Amino acid sequence: GSPQREITPATKARASQLPGVIAFATTNAIPGMRIMPLMPVRPEGMAPEEELMMTSIEVDENYLTAMEIELLAGRNFSPDWGTDSTTGFLLNETAVKFLGWGTPLDAIGKRFEWVPYGGAKGRVIGVVKDFHLRTIHDEIEPMVIFTNSYHSHIIVRIDPNRMQDTIAYLRAWWSA
């Protein structure tokens, strides 16, 4: 594979402006993944010594747009809120049902903790409509989505009428 390359906010802004690019996002979760990362989390109402294993993905603030994922309640991650990477969580609809938290709107503001690496404690800031990452035949599982600045993959949504040009621009930009 190609060497790891850090995608800085400036790099992302440049890529988003390439002709034909509708959205440019970074993530550790791309469609077709067979293995989804399971991480220990501690949702509100769970004892401090307990934890729950939940599918967890890391995304940036452009991921919902690039993947056309609908936000049902609350807000998306935003670079304007410096605390999102340490205290903001998104859940999918299935997670809200699984946790018995009522409607997507009821889940907003609930306390949530990501246990690994000293953990991030925060609140649910948004709930997204369920979406498929493995295949459309796999059952959708409860998922927590969080944001940070380093990801292993990029997702680009391209204008279908400009596919070849845009891929050429992206190739040139990436190897520059």
Side-chain angles (χ1 to χ4, degrees):
S2 56
Q4 286 285 359
R5 168 173 173 166
E6 195 176 357
I7 311 271
T8 61
T11 312
K12 231 189 280 194
R14 275 202 305 280
S16 308
Q17 287 156 5
L18 290 171
V21 170
I22 295 169
F24 183 96
T26 62
T27 180
N28 73 340
I30 52 172
M33 280 175 78
R34 291 225 167 73
I35 309 293
M36 301 281 285
L38 278 173
M39 294 287 180
V41 296
R42 197 173 293 122
E44 186 172 307
M46 190 169 262
E49 65 281 1
E50 290 181 356
E51 52 191 44
L52 177 68
M53 294 303 281
M54 218 163 141
T55 298
S56 307
I57 66 169
E58 293 174 46
V59 307
D60 72 357
E61 69 282 0
N62 302 325
Y63 188 78
L64 299 188
T65 308
M67 292 280 291
E68 293 187 333
I69 295 166
E70 195 185 329
L71 189 67
L72 298 176
R75 65 176 180 84
N76 186 14
F77 298 119
S78 164
D80 304 335
W81 295 67
T83 55
D84 276 358
S85 59
T86 49
T87 65
F89 298 92
L90 300 178
L91 297 178
N92 66 354
E93 289 170 276
T94 297
V96 174
K97 289 187 194 113
F98 174 73
L99 295 168
W101 283 356
T103 68
L105 198 56
D106 295 332
I108 304 300
K110 290 252 195 276
R111 286 193 312 281
F112 205 90
E113 195 177 331
W114 194 63
V115 179
Y117 317 124
K121 288 184 185 181
R123 297 193 179 271
V124 175
I125 60 167
V127 175
V128 299
K129 197 171 172 62
D130 284 342
F131 60 97
H132 288 276
L133 263 182
R134 292 184 210 244
T135 73
I136 55 168
H137 306 294
D138 283 299
E139 201 176 323
I140 290 181
E141 51 222 296
M143 182 186 288
V144 56
I145 304 167
F146 56 103
T147 188
N148 73 17
S149 51
Y150 189 81
H151 301 120
S152 50
H153 300 288
I154 60 174
I155 289 180
V156 187
R157 180 164 290 280
I158 295 172
D159 178 343
N161 303 316
R162 309 193 56 168
M163 198 67 80
Q164 284 176 316
D165 290 359
T166 306
I167 290 170
Y169 289 128
L170 282 164
R171 277 213 179 100
W173 166 81
W174 187 251
S175 52

